[in-house]
Amino acid sequence: LEAKEEFSHKTLAMDVMRPRRNDPPLTVITQDSMTVEDVETIINETTYSGYPVVVSRESQRLVGFVLRRDLIISVENARKKQDGIVSTSIIYFTDHSPPLPPSSPSMLKLRSILDLSPFTVTDQTPMEIVVDIFRKLGLRQCLVTHNGKLLGIITKKDVLKHIAQLANQDPDSILFN
Ligand code: ADP
């Protein structure tokens, strides 16, 4: 038998996070450039429990995390009760509304539903540590970054699947891990 290290391939956060290679990109919301209609489309076309909020698609800088259920309630309420909110209204999560021409429709501020410090790990974090963090902090999800840019997401269910996979590994491969 060779030295253990030669065979062991530690699973890293990047191996467990979504999206996987060749998957469509993460569904994100931008902090001050999406319309009510854009966000309603995301709500209708995906079922994720939450969405990372980023500065812009180009930057992928993480701003926070918004839960799907909070987003649904807030947008529905605004549509019903807030004057001037239409499909083309801009939604913003920033402190101040983005500068728009005076003719633009009313904007919708949703900063109050934004979690400004979602838990994050880097893509190189060993899964052992990620599992430990999920257990100890009772996380539902954790975001994965690389050089400060958002890369992916790991949910509690993703972690549980990872643990189940480890348990089902065939004994031959475990010998070398
Ligand atoms: P669960 O993992 O409990 O089913 P979700 O419905 O939020 O929770 O996520 C389903 C799958 O999609 C998970 O594998 C997760 O990593 C991934 N996922 C979660 N949120 C997003 C998102 N905003 N964009 C892309 N994939 C996501």
Side-chain angles (χ1 to χ4, degrees), residues 16-19 24-28 47-52 65 140-141 153-158 161:
V16 174
M17 70 172 200
R18 305 302 163 111
L26 213 53
T27 302
V28 298
T47 58
Y48 305 125
S49 315
Y51 308 92
F65 192 78
R140 311 284 321 191
Q141 67 277 120
I153 186 168
I154 300 175
T155 66
K156 183 176 169 184
K157 216 179 262 180
D158 293 330
K161 274 188 218 155

Side-chain angles (χ1 to χ4, degrees), residues 73-106:
I73 293 169
S74 300
V75 172
E76 268 180 15
N77 269 342
R79 278 275 203 190
K80 276 189 221 144
K81 295 174 190 160
Q82 201 169 320
D83 274 347
I85 297 299
V86 292
S87 298
T88 53
S89 294
I90 293 287
I91 292 182
Y92 67 101
F93 295 88
T94 45
D95 256 330
H96 303 286
S97 57
L100 286 185
S103 57
S104 321
S106 304

